[in-house]
Amino acid sequence: MIQNPTKNRIIQGILVLVSILAMSLYFKTATQQDTINISAFPKIIDVWTSEDLPISKEDLSILETKNAFVRKYTNTVDGAEVYLFLVYSQHNRKVAHPPEICYLGGGVSITENIHDPIPVEYKNLTIPTNRLKLLRKNMQHIAFYWFKVGDRFTSNYWEQQGLIALSSITGTSKGSALIRISANIADDDQNKAIRNIKSFVNRISPSLFEYLP
């Protein structure tokens, strides 16, 4: 088969231009400042009330943003407690990375890692999530996490990165978020911790769209 050198050079030139455009759009958006502060996320949701917990300077440095918080929400009816961690950026796709990295770096053992979708009443959605069972200093925890890009949820880090890259190439600005909810396992009752988290997810799902656009 005879190749056309002129055609090949045109194709190569187009690919180079697309790459330059994608990189320029990425760096342009990555250096922009967020105009949305997620600390406005509701502190009281139905029967759940909350208190803010501190995030260390080291953790904020790893996240590359201050647009993050950790809150302990308590169910005023039955006393159940869950911990909500949110990190969000409108422009920097590096802020939302798999929590396994932080857990393993902090001396936490992951004894179970499975996909566990959560159905919610809001828009009859099923949220794809990863469920982790964690062990730290003889304390057991359950944590669910997933990512949000624009109005889409995904439990896959690489899919999240692809969605952000696509929005950069097309020039559409879509914020990205990591959502993590955890609870302690008391009296070896793992199922109770899971039920509490899923009940909380059901309550906060409308706010995830409103406060994490």
Side-chain angles (χ1 to χ4, degrees), residues 2 5 11 103 152:
I2 299 176
I11 293 174
Y103 283 135
R152 292 184 60 176

Side-chain angles (χ1 to χ4, degrees), residues 3 18 26 30 34 50 61 63 70-71 75 80 95 97 109 117 135-137 148 162-163 171 174-176 186-187 196:
Q3 295 186 359
V18 170
Y26 169 72
D34 288 341
S50 69
S61 176
L63 295 173
V70 180
R71 286 181 189 157
N75 189 312
V95 301
H97 57 269
S109 299
L135 177 63
R136 182 176 187 179
K137 296 181 180 179
K148 185 175 182 291
L163 290 171
K174 293 183 178 179
S176 60
D187 302 320
N196 288 337

Side-chain angles (χ1 to χ4, degrees), residues 21-35 63-67 88-96 161 164-165 167-169 171-176:
L21 176 62
M23 291 299 292
S24 64
L25 285 171
Y26 169 72
F27 285 113
K28 178 182 178 181
T29 56
T31 56
Q32 293 178 347
Q33 297 296 314
D34 288 341
T35 58
L63 295 173
E64 298 189 26
T65 181
K66 293 183 179 180
N67 211 2
Y88 174 84
S89 178
Q90 292 166 264
H91 311 291
N92 187 353
R93 69 180 181 179
K94 293 188 291 182
V95 301
Q161 290 292 293
I164 298 171
S167 70
S168 296
I169 292 172
T172 58
S173 178
K174 293 183 178 179
S176 60

